[in-house]
Amino acid sequence: MNDCVYFIWCYSVLTGLIMLILQLPEDVLYHILSYLNCKSLARLSQVCKSIYRFVNRDTVWRSIAKEFLNTGINRDGTDIYPHIPLKERVKLAQNWCDGVCKRAIPLKWKTKLLPWLELDGDVLFLSQAADIGAYQLHQESGRLQRNPFEIYSGHNADVCHFVLTDSHLISGGSDGKILAHSRTTDWLVELSGHKQEVNCLDSKDGLIISGSRDQTTRIWTLTSNNPRDTIPMYDRVWSVAISPTLSSFITGTSCCQNLSPLRIWDVERKCVMEWEEPHDSTLYCIQTDGNYMIASGSSYYGVVRLWDKRQSACLQFFQLSSESGSSPVYCLRFSSTHLYAALATSLHSLDFQKSPICIR
């Protein structure tokens, strides 16, 4: 058998095999493909157009995407980026893991501030002094529109912290006030009760938890201007978070007193769990992808780190400022493609779409 005949024979066998595979029920095909890793799937998709179209389905890549960082698949199976094909997100995940990104500084300002930021789709909210600006993000490049298209104001001093809900932007300021802005109307409600700055707050389903330098945590609702409850903490409160079920909330204090700084409370104000802080360095902010990745901002030199919960060592390290005695990372947020970090005089971005790589 000469080479030409052998080639024709092999091609015929392969074509027949492909036709047989494509005639299998889809659930059987999905089960077969579940045994392949991402590299094998990428190679298989190059065989022919029919297999390419089948292999590129999100159903094929879902189990693989769960094992990668920041693919948008939460631990409970929720997909937070359904508009992006999972295969593309697996490609991007390798850039996150390898630290492959393009750095930029979309915004700078002269006065040193303690900015906070939040991401909501293609809109970035950034606090600067007493105002909060809403900036449009370009979907593909992640670049920031130079001027805000909307400004939320009302505090008499700097905004310390704010959160977004589907209907409201709720902010706490160094004037001790909490402001709840409607995101669709001009409606604004002021909640007063703290004697010093409101360092932190969280809100879910109309419930608001705030923490202050005045050593109290307060519980509010949007239907009343007065706190529903006040919990003495005997230490400055720097962070709070409400559980998704609304059955409990967590507080973090400054550790200046002989008290456990991290405590979980139920809705009846009873402390149900606590931890001692084992680290000496300060983390100003953290965010998780809901699965394996954590991004943290340090109190020194504008450092951002990426962590994989399955590993003990830091995965990637980014120093955003080379200046000595530079700013902490006051807040960071990330999407599937970009990470944004707010320092004292600038907003930094890391674009992980740079140099798209082949799945390996």
Side-chain angles (χ1 to χ4, degrees), residues 58 61-62 64-86 88-90 92-93 96 288-293 334-337:
D58 279 359
W61 288 89
R62 180 169 290 273
I64 291 176
K66 286 182 180 179
E67 300 302 313
F68 279 78
L69 302 181
N70 196 28
T71 56
I73 306 297
N74 289 347
R75 189 168 297 179
D76 61 3
T78 305
D79 190 348
I80 60 176
Y81 305 129
H83 59 287
I84 306 175
L86 275 173
E88 298 304 314
R89 285 184 260 168
V90 171
L92 281 171
W96 284 87
T288 176
D289 67 348
N291 197 6
Y292 293 118
M293 191 179 85
F334 58 80
S335 64
S336 64
T337 57

Side-chain angles (χ1 to χ4, degrees), residues 84-353:
I84 306 175
L86 275 173
K87 182 180 178 181
E88 298 304 314
R89 285 184 260 168
V90 171
K91 289 181 180 179
L92 281 171
Q94 294 181 71
N95 281 349
W96 284 87
C97 184
D98 296 338
V100 178
C101 65
K102 180 181 179 181
R103 303 188 185 201
I105 304 177
L107 283 178
K108 288 185 176 181
W109 48 90
K110 294 182 180 180
T111 306
K112 286 190 175 183
L113 304 172
L114 280 74
W116 193 261
L117 62 88
E118 295 287 351
L119 270 178
D120 184 20
D122 58 356
V123 178
L124 183 144
F125 296 81
L126 176 68
S127 66
Q128 294 172 287
D131 296 328
I132 302 168
Y135 295 84
Q136 194 73 43
L137 290 170
H138 296 286
Q139 194 71 29
E140 295 297 326
S141 66
R143 292 180 180 175
L144 199 67
Q145 189 176 19
R146 180 59 58 179
N147 297 314
F149 66 85
E150 190 167 4
I151 295 176
Y152 298 86
S153 57
H155 285 284
N156 299 323
D158 290 356
V159 173
C160 299
H161 193 107
F162 68 90
V163 294
L164 297 174
T165 68
D166 291 338
S167 56
H168 293 85
L169 184 152
I170 303 169
S171 59
S174 55
D175 53 6
K177 295 192 299 184
I178 298 170
L179 300 181
H181 301 261
S182 170
R183 296 179 61 181
T184 56
T185 67
D186 293 332
W187 182 84
L188 170 67
V189 63
E190 178 180 318
L191 310 176
S192 299
H194 286 292
K195 298 177 182 178
Q196 293 179 281
E197 60 260 40
V198 180
N199 295 319
C200 53
L201 52 85
D202 195 12
S203 178
K204 285 182 175 64
D205 292 348
L207 182 70
I208 302 171
I209 308 289
S210 62
S212 171
R213 182 182 284 270
D214 66 8
Q215 302 185 354
T216 65
T217 294
R218 296 178 187 263
I219 303 174
W220 315 75
T221 62
L222 288 173
T223 57
S224 174
N225 291 29
N226 298 314
R228 192 181 79 181
D229 212 340
T230 299
I231 305 174
M233 302 295 293
Y234 309 107
D235 202 353
R236 290 173 291 175
V237 185
W238 286 105
S239 57
V240 296
I242 305 172
S243 72
T245 61
L246 302 180
S247 60
S248 61
F249 63 93
I250 190 168
T251 59
T253 53
S254 62
C255 207
C256 293
Q257 305 295 332
N258 189 24
L259 298 167
S260 297
L262 185 60
R263 287 184 275 182
I264 292 179
W265 307 78
D266 62 19
V267 291
E268 302 300 325
R269 298 176 48 189
K270 178 182 177 182
C271 180
V272 294
M273 194 175 295
E274 60 184 46
W275 293 268
E276 292 291 341
E277 170 55 53
H279 305 291
D280 293 330
S281 60
T282 302
L283 295 181
Y284 265 58
C285 52
I286 61 172
Q287 187 186 355
T288 176
D289 67 348
N291 197 6
Y292 293 118
M293 191 179 85
I294 296 175
S296 65
S298 169
S299 59
Y300 294 108
Y301 311 118
V303 168
V304 169
R305 288 184 173 88
L306 301 183
W307 307 80
D308 186 333
K309 296 178 184 177
R310 297 163 294 186
Q311 303 176 18
S312 57
C314 170
L315 189 64
Q316 293 297 335
F317 168 97
F318 305 95
Q319 185 168 340
L320 302 182
S321 177
S322 59
E323 301 173 4
S324 59
S326 64
S327 161
V329 178
Y330 288 110
C331 186
L332 60 80
R333 291 291 182 267
F334 58 80
S335 64
S336 64
T337 57
H338 290 76
L339 184 146
Y340 299 92
L343 277 65
T345 59
S346 55
L347 175 71
H348 293 249
S349 73
L350 303 177
D351 180 359
F352 289 89
Q353 296 178 109

